[in-house]
Coordinates of all heavy atoms in Angstrom, one line a residue:
F1 N -5.2 8.9 0.7 CA -4.1 9.7 0.1 C -3.1 8.8 -0.6 O -2.6 9.2 -1.7 CB -3.5 10.5 1.3 CG -2.2 11.2 0.9 CD1 -2.2 12.3 0.1 CD2 -1.0 10.7 1.5 CE1 -1.0 12.9 -0.2 CE2 0.2 11.3 1.1 CZ 0.2 12.4 0.3
L2 N -2.7 7.7 0.1 CA -1.7 6.8 -0.6 C -2.3 6.3 -1.9 O -1.6 6.2 -2.9 CB -1.4 5.7 0.4 CG -0.6 6.0 1.6 CD1 -0.7 4.9 2.7 CD2 0.9 6.3 1.3
R3 N -3.5 5.9 -1.9 CA -4.1 5.3 -3.1 C -4.1 6.3 -4.2 O -3.7 6.0 -5.4 CB -5.5 4.8 -2.8 CG -6.2 4.1 -4.0 CD -7.5 3.5 -3.5 NE -8.5 4.5 -3.0 CZ -9.6 4.2 -2.4 NH1 -9.9 3.0 -2.2 NH2 -10.4 5.2 -2.0
E4 N -4.6 7.5 -3.9 CA -4.6 8.5 -5.0 C -3.2 9.0 -5.4 O -3.0 9.2 -6.6 CB -5.4 9.8 -4.4 CG -6.9 9.5 -4.2 CD -7.6 8.9 -5.4 OE1 -7.5 9.5 -6.5 OE2 -8.2 7.8 -5.3
T5 N -2.3 9.1 -4.5 CA -0.9 9.4 -4.9 C -0.3 8.4 -5.8 O 0.4 8.7 -6.8 CB 0.0 9.6 -3.6 OG1 -0.6 10.7 -2.8 CG2 1.4 10.0 -4.0
R6 N -0.6 7.1 -5.5 CA -0.1 6.1 -6.4 C -0.7 6.2 -7.8 O -0.1 5.9 -8.8 CB -0.4 4.7 -5.8 CG 0.5 4.4 -4.6 CD 0.1 3.2 -3.8 NE 0.2 2.0 -4.5 CZ 1.3 1.2 -4.6 NH1 2.4 1.6 -4.0 NH2 1.3 0.1 -5.3
R7 N -2.0 6.5 -7.8 CA -2.7 6.7 -9.1 C -2.1 7.9 -9.9 O -2.0 7.8 -11.2 CB -4.2 6.9 -8.9 CG -4.9 5.6 -8.5 CD -6.3 5.8 -8.1 NE -7.0 4.6 -7.8 CZ -8.2 4.5 -7.3 NH1 -8.9 5.6 -7.1 NH2 -8.8 3.3 -7.1
E8 N -1.7 8.9 -9.2 CA -1.1 10.0 -9.9 C 0.2 9.7 -10.6 O 0.5 10.2 -11.7 CB -0.8 11.2 -8.9 CG -2.1 11.8 -8.3 CD -1.7 12.8 -7.2 OE1 -0.5 12.9 -6.8 OE2 -2.7 13.4 -6.6
G9 N 1.0 8.8 -10.0 CA 2.2 8.3 -10.7 C 3.4 9.3 -10.6 O 4.4 9.0 -11.4
Q10 N 3.4 10.3 -9.8 CA 4.5 11.2 -9.8 C 5.6 10.8 -8.8 O 6.8 11.2 -8.9 CB 4.0 12.6 -9.4 CG 3.1 13.2 -10.4 CD 2.5 14.5 -10.0 OE1 3.2 15.3 -9.3 NE2 1.3 14.9 -10.4
I11 N 5.3 9.9 -7.8 CA 6.2 9.4 -6.8 C 5.7 8.0 -6.4 O 4.5 7.8 -6.3 CB 6.3 10.4 -5.6 CG1 7.5 9.9 -4.7 CG2 5.0 10.5 -4.9 CD1 7.8 10.9 -3.6
D12 N 6.7 7.1 -6.3 CA 6.3 5.7 -5.9 C 6.2 5.7 -4.3 O 7.1 5.6 -3.6 CB 7.4 4.8 -6.3 CG 7.2 3.4 -5.8 OD1 6.0 3.0 -5.6 OD2 8.2 2.6 -5.7
V13 N 4.9 5.8 -3.9 CA 4.7 5.9 -2.4 C 4.0 4.6 -2.0 O 3.3 3.9 -2.8 CB 3.7 7.1 -2.1 CG1 2.3 6.9 -2.6 CG2 3.7 7.3 -0.6
S14 N 4.3 4.1 -0.8 CA 3.7 2.9 -0.3 C 3.5 3.0 1.2 O 4.3 3.8 1.9 CB 4.5 1.7 -0.6 OG 5.8 1.7 -0.1
Y15 N 2.6 2.3 1.8 CA 2.4 2.2 3.2 C 3.5 1.2 3.7 O 3.8 0.2 3.0 CB 1.0 1.7 3.6 CG 0.8 1.7 5.1 CD1 0.9 2.9 5.8 CD2 0.5 0.6 5.8 CE1 0.7 2.9 7.2 CE2 0.3 0.5 7.1 CZ 0.4 1.7 7.9 OH 0.2 1.7 9.2
G16 N 4.0 1.3 4.9 CA 5.0 0.4 5.4 C 4.6 -1.0 5.5 O 3.4 -1.4 5.2
C17 N 5.5 -1.8 5.9 CA 5.3 -3.3 5.9 C 4.3 -3.8 6.9 O 3.9 -4.9 6.9 CB 6.6 -4.0 6.0 SG 7.5 -3.6 7.6
E18 N 4.0 -2.9 7.9 CA 3.1 -3.4 9.0 C 1.7 -3.4 8.6 O 1.2 -2.5 7.9 CB 3.3 -2.5 10.2 CG 2.9 -1.0 9.9 CD 3.2 -0.1 11.1 OE1 4.3 -0.1 11.6 OE2 2.3 0.7 11.4
G19 N 0.9 -4.4 9.1 CA -0.5 -4.3 9.1 C -1.3 -4.8 7.9 O -1.0 -4.3 6.8
F20 N -2.3 -5.7 8.1 CA -3.2 -6.1 7.1 C -4.3 -5.0 6.9 O -4.8 -4.6 7.9 CB -3.8 -7.4 7.4 CG -4.8 -7.9 6.5 CD1 -4.4 -8.4 5.2 CD2 -6.2 -7.8 6.7 CE1 -5.4 -8.9 4.3 CE2 -7.1 -8.3 5.8 CZ -6.7 -8.8 4.6
L21 N -4.6 -4.6 5.7 CA -5.4 -3.4 5.4 C -6.7 -3.7 4.7 O -7.3 -2.8 4.1 CB -4.6 -2.4 4.6 CG -3.2 -2.0 5.2 CD1 -2.4 -1.2 4.2 CD2 -3.5 -1.2 6.5
G22 N -7.1 -5.0 4.7 CA -8.4 -5.3 4.2 C -8.6 -4.9 2.7 O -7.8 -5.2 1.9
G23 N -9.6 -4.1 2.5 CA -9.9 -3.6 1.1 C -8.9 -2.8 0.5 O -8.9 -2.6 -0.7
Y24 N -7.9 -2.2 1.3 CA -6.9 -1.4 0.7 C -5.6 -2.2 0.3 O -4.7 -1.6 -0.2 CB -6.4 -0.3 1.8 CG -7.4 0.8 1.9 CD1 -8.2 0.9 3.0 CD2 -7.6 1.8 0.9 CE1 -9.1 1.9 3.2 CE2 -8.5 2.8 1.0 CZ -9.3 2.9 2.2 OH -10.2 3.9 2.3
E25 N -5.7 -3.5 0.6 CA -4.5 -4.3 0.2 C -4.3 -4.2 -1.3 O -5.3 -4.2 -2.1 CB -4.8 -5.8 0.5 CG -4.6 -6.1 2.0 CD -3.2 -6.0 2.5 OE1 -2.3 -6.3 1.7 OE2 -3.0 -5.5 3.6
M26 N -3.0 -4.0 -1.7 CA -2.6 -3.9 -3.1 C -2.9 -2.5 -3.7 O -2.4 -2.1 -4.7 CB -3.1 -4.9 -4.1 CG -2.5 -6.3 -3.9 SD -0.7 -6.3 -4.3 CE -0.7 -6.1 -6.0
D27 N -3.7 -1.7 -2.9 CA -4.0 -0.3 -3.4 C -3.0 0.7 -2.9 O -2.8 1.8 -3.4 CB -5.4 0.2 -2.9 CG -6.5 -0.6 -3.6 OD1 -6.2 -1.2 -4.6 OD2 -7.7 -0.5 -3.1
V28 N -2.3 0.3 -1.7 CA -1.4 1.3 -1.1 C 0.0 0.8 -0.9 O 0.9 1.5 -0.4 CB -2.0 1.7 0.3 CG1 -3.3 2.4 0.2 CG2 -2.1 0.5 1.3
R29 N 0.3 -0.4 -1.5 CA 1.7 -0.9 -1.6 C 1.7 -1.9 -2.7 O 0.7 -2.3 -3.2 CB 2.2 -1.5 -0.2 CG 1.3 -2.5 0.4 CD 1.8 -2.8 1.8 NE 0.8 -3.6 2.5 CZ 0.6 -3.5 3.8 NH1 1.3 -2.8 4.6 NH2 -0.4 -4.3 4.4
D30 N 2.9 -2.4 -3.0 CA 3.1 -3.2 -4.2 C 2.8 -4.7 -4.0 O 3.0 -5.4 -5.0 CB 4.5 -3.0 -4.8 CG 4.8 -1.6 -5.3 OD1 3.8 -0.9 -5.6 OD2 5.9 -1.2 -5.5
H31 N 2.4 -5.0 -2.9 CA 2.3 -6.5 -2.6 C 1.2 -6.6 -1.5 O 0.9 -5.7 -0.7 CB 3.6 -7.1 -2.1 CG 4.3 -6.3 -1.0 ND1 3.9 -6.5 0.4 CD2 5.2 -5.4 -1.0 CE1 4.6 -5.7 1.1 NE2 5.4 -5.0 0.3
F32 N 0.7 -7.8 -1.3 CA -0.2 -8.1 -0.2 C 0.6 -8.1 1.1 O 1.8 -8.4 1.1 CB -0.9 -9.4 -0.4 CG -2.0 -9.4 -1.5 CD1 -1.8 -10.1 -2.6 CD2 -3.1 -8.6 -1.3 CE1 -2.8 -10.1 -3.6 CE2 -4.1 -8.6 -2.3 CZ -4.0 -9.3 -3.4
Y33 N -0.1 -7.9 2.2 CA 0.6 -7.9 3.5 C 1.1 -9.3 3.8 O 0.5 -10.3 3.6 CB -0.4 -7.5 4.6 CG 0.2 -7.8 6.0 CD1 1.2 -7.0 6.5 CD2 -0.3 -8.9 6.7 CE1 1.7 -7.3 7.7 CE2 0.3 -9.2 7.9 CZ 1.3 -8.4 8.4 OH 1.8 -8.7 9.6
E34 N 2.3 -9.3 4.4 CA 2.9 -10.5 5.1 C 3.9 -10.0 6.0 O 4.6 -9.0 5.7 CB 3.4 -11.5 4.1 CG 4.7 -11.1 3.3 CD 5.2 -12.2 2.4 OE1 5.0 -13.4 2.8 OE2 5.9 -11.9 1.4
C35 N 4.1 -10.7 7.1 CA 5.2 -10.4 8.1 C 6.3 -11.3 7.7 O 6.2 -12.5 7.9 CB 4.7 -10.6 9.5 SG 6.0 -10.2 10.7
S36 N 7.4 -10.7 7.3 CA 8.6 -11.6 6.8 C 9.5 -11.9 8.0 O 10.5 -12.6 7.8 CB 9.3 -10.8 5.7 OG 9.9 -9.6 6.2
A37 N 9.3 -11.3 9.2 CA 10.1 -11.6 10.3 C 10.2 -13.0 10.6 O 9.2 -13.7 10.8 CB 9.6 -10.8 11.5
G38 N 11.4 -13.6 10.7 CA 11.5 -15.0 11.0 C 11.3 -15.9 9.8 O 11.4 -17.1 10.0

């Protein structure tokens, strides 16, 4: 759903900062996963 919504381009949607998503990396948010805490 996130991937398709981003492709539609009507709203800038992304998955939260948590979690490495394998093949979905960069498809559901604007950057690769990293934990910035600390």
Side-chain angles (χ1 to χ4, degrees):
F1 168 72
L2 289 163
R3 184 174 60 191
E4 294 305 309
T5 299
R6 289 168 65 85
R7 288 173 175 173
E8 292 170 359
Q10 298 178 31
I11 187 170
D12 175 27
V13 68
S14 62
Y15 186 63
C17 58
E18 62 184 48
F20 178 75
L21 302 171
Y24 286 107
E25 285 294 322
M26 286 297 291
D27 290 347
V28 298
R29 53 190 167 209
D30 293 342
H31 53 81
F32 287 115
Y33 166 76
E34 66 176 335
C35 182
S36 66

